Amino acid sequence: MSTTEPPKNMEEELDSEITSIRAEIRNLQRKRRFLVSSLLTSEPIRKRLQEYQASNPPSSRDKDVSPLLDAAEKHAETNHHRVAFSATTFPFKDPSPNSENPNLLGVRIDVCAGNGRFAKPYYVLLRRVPGEDKRLQVHRHTIPAFISVDKLERAFLPVPSAREEAQAEEPLKPWKKNAKKQDLTRFVHELRRQLATWYLRMDAVNLLRGKLGVVRRSVAAYHDDDDGVWTRDILSDNQEEIRLEANDLGIVSLSPTTLETTYIRLEWQDGRVGRFKLSHSGVVERAVVIGDHGRDKLLEAALTGGDAKVETVLDRLKQHLRGVPNA
């Protein structure tokens, strides 16, 4: 049996090296695309390329550069549009042959993440209510499940029932005339606000991790002899696990409990476990820390004290370790 162990270990090491090399290649390819796009969208480079193409006869290189220039211009134009108009509407045709009302109204919502890149757009498709000319209702959407689109629809795009329609024929008091009026602008505004605050919460978690120091690895690169607390990074699009580097605060794990990123879980080296709630405005509303001797009220006060902003949580914890009270 001992003769088979070295090849297995060697095979595992080779698999781990291949996985890390592939990840590095993907990172370099992304970096290359980013640098090419940045260079081609810069005004000095574009002017020089246009002057060169105007003063020289067409060559084989122009066939390679021209598509890149066109793609860079379209990408820059799209980003400018996203910055200026974070929510846009467009007509859409329902591809289903059995649709009773194929004419739909599409809403595209763009959100910029903390790294300066735009996230994948979110879409909401609206259709007219049967028998109504002006009322709309949600047909399909790509909004995350933890954002209640149904609740927002009931609040801003209400559809009266048959009984309410019968009562509507009666004369209403002045303050009740607009009670059931739909407001598409407020619906889209509130929907984008909740998406933006969700990204701000995720950015706050990544900011805290970055201050503490993060080590990443792919899920496939697992070894029993790895030190530290490895947790699945639910905020990453890749299949990754993360571990915090050794720090003065003794925090070994910091991660959201769900993708919604409302509750953040902390774990210390001495075994204490904590959780705090993050509001839509980036404020630590409540915190609970439990150790071997019960709740740590002083540490809970440090998490929620001061300005209570999530960006300064680590600063407040450092002051707590030094014995400095949070103002």
Side-chain angles (χ1 to χ4, degrees):
M1 296 297 292
S2 60
T3 57
T4 61
E5 290 181 359
K8 286 184 178 180
N9 295 333
M10 186 180 299
E11 185 178 350
E12 291 177 356
E13 291 179 0
L14 289 175
D15 290 340
S16 177
E17 290 180 1
I18 291 173
T19 302
S20 61
I21 291 173
R22 287 177 177 173
E24 184 65 22
I25 290 174
R26 287 194 297 268
N27 291 332
L28 291 174
Q29 288 175 343
R30 284 195 295 266
K31 186 176 181 180
R32 175 179 174 272
R33 288 194 297 267
F34 175 75
L35 292 175
V36 169
S37 177
S38 300
L39 287 173
L40 292 178
T41 52
S42 63
E43 195 64 25
I45 298 296
R46 288 178 56 191
K47 285 184 177 180
R48 288 193 176 186
L49 286 174
Q50 290 174 356
E51 291 174 357
Y52 173 80
Q53 291 176 346
S55 59
N56 292 277
S59 62
S60 59
R61 289 187 176 182
D62 293 341
K63 296 180 180 179
D64 298 332
V65 175
S66 296
L68 294 175
L69 277 174
D70 295 339
E73 289 179 359
K74 290 180 180 178
H75 182 70
E77 184 180 355
T78 301
N79 285 341
H80 293 158
H81 184 84
R82 285 175 165 180
V83 171
F85 308 101
S86 56
T88 53
T89 59
F90 57 92
F92 186 77
K93 205 80 170 179
D94 193 345
S96 175
N98 301 322
S99 177
E100 297 179 358
N101 190 357
N103 297 320
L104 304 176
L105 176 65
V107 179
R108 169 175 166 161
I109 300 176
D110 289 293
V111 181
C112 184
N115 56 5
R117 297 182 179 180
F118 284 95
K120 188 177 180 179
Y122 295 93
Y123 294 95
V124 179
L125 297 178
L126 303 164
R127 65 180 179 183
R128 294 194 182 278
V129 178
E132 297 278 352
D133 293 334
K134 296 183 179 180
R135 292 189 179 273
L136 299 171
Q137 62 182 179
V138 176
H139 179 57
R140 295 283 189 275
H141 66 83
T142 61
I143 307 299
F146 54 80
I147 296 179
S148 180
V149 178
D150 294 338
K151 184 178 179 180
L152 295 178
E153 184 181 10
R154 289 193 300 269
F156 301 110
L157 300 176
V159 178
S161 60
R163 181 179 178 182
E164 291 174 340
E165 289 179 353
Q167 293 177 353
E169 296 178 358
E170 301 176 0
L172 295 176
K173 295 180 180 180
W175 59 84
K176 291 186 177 181
K177 287 185 177 180
N178 295 327
K180 293 297 181 180
K181 186 178 180 180
Q182 291 192 337
D183 194 338
L184 180 59
T185 302
R186 290 186 62 189
F187 171 77
V188 175
H189 180 271
E190 180 62 23
L191 193 57
R192 189 188 181 280
R193 187 188 71 83
Q194 294 195 22
L195 286 170
T197 54
W198 171 44
Y199 274 89
L200 289 176
R201 293 195 299 270
M202 290 192 294
D203 292 339
V205 172
N206 290 326
L207 174 66
L208 297 179
R209 287 174 172 175
K211 289 182 178 180
L212 294 172
V214 181
V215 179
R216 296 182 178 272
R217 72 176 184 187
S218 63
V219 176
Y222 173 77
H223 297 285
D224 293 334
D225 56 349
D226 286 340
D227 296 330
V229 179
W230 290 91
T231 57
R232 181 73 172 270
D233 187 10
I234 61 176
L235 302 183
S236 175
D237 296 333
N238 304 322
Q239 300 291 328
E240 289 183 334
E241 290 182 339
I242 63 169
R243 174 177 62 82
L244 296 182
E245 297 178 353
N247 52 81
D248 298 336
L249 297 175
I251 299 175
V252 296
S253 176
L254 189 152
S255 59
T257 58
T258 61
L259 184 60
E260 188 178 2
T261 323
T262 300
Y263 292 93
I264 313 301
R265 185 180 185 275
L266 294 167
E267 186 176 345
W268 281 265
Q269 195 171 4
D270 57 6
R272 287 177 296 176
V273 177
R275 179 182 294 189
F276 63 85
K277 182 181 180 182
L278 193 58
S279 70
H280 291 320
S281 58
V283 173
V284 179
E285 292 183 338
R286 297 191 299 271
V288 175
V289 180
I290 299 177
D292 295 336
H293 304 288
R295 292 181 61 177
D296 191 337
K297 295 294 186 68
L298 294 177
L299 194 54
E300 293 175 4
L303 289 171
T304 58
D307 57 5
K309 292 183 178 180
V310 66
E311 294 88 350
T312 57
V313 162
L314 300 181
D315 296 334
R316 295 197 296 273
L317 292 179
K318 290 178 181 178
Q319 292 179 2
H320 172 71
L321 286 179
R322 295 197 300 264
V324 179
N326 291 293

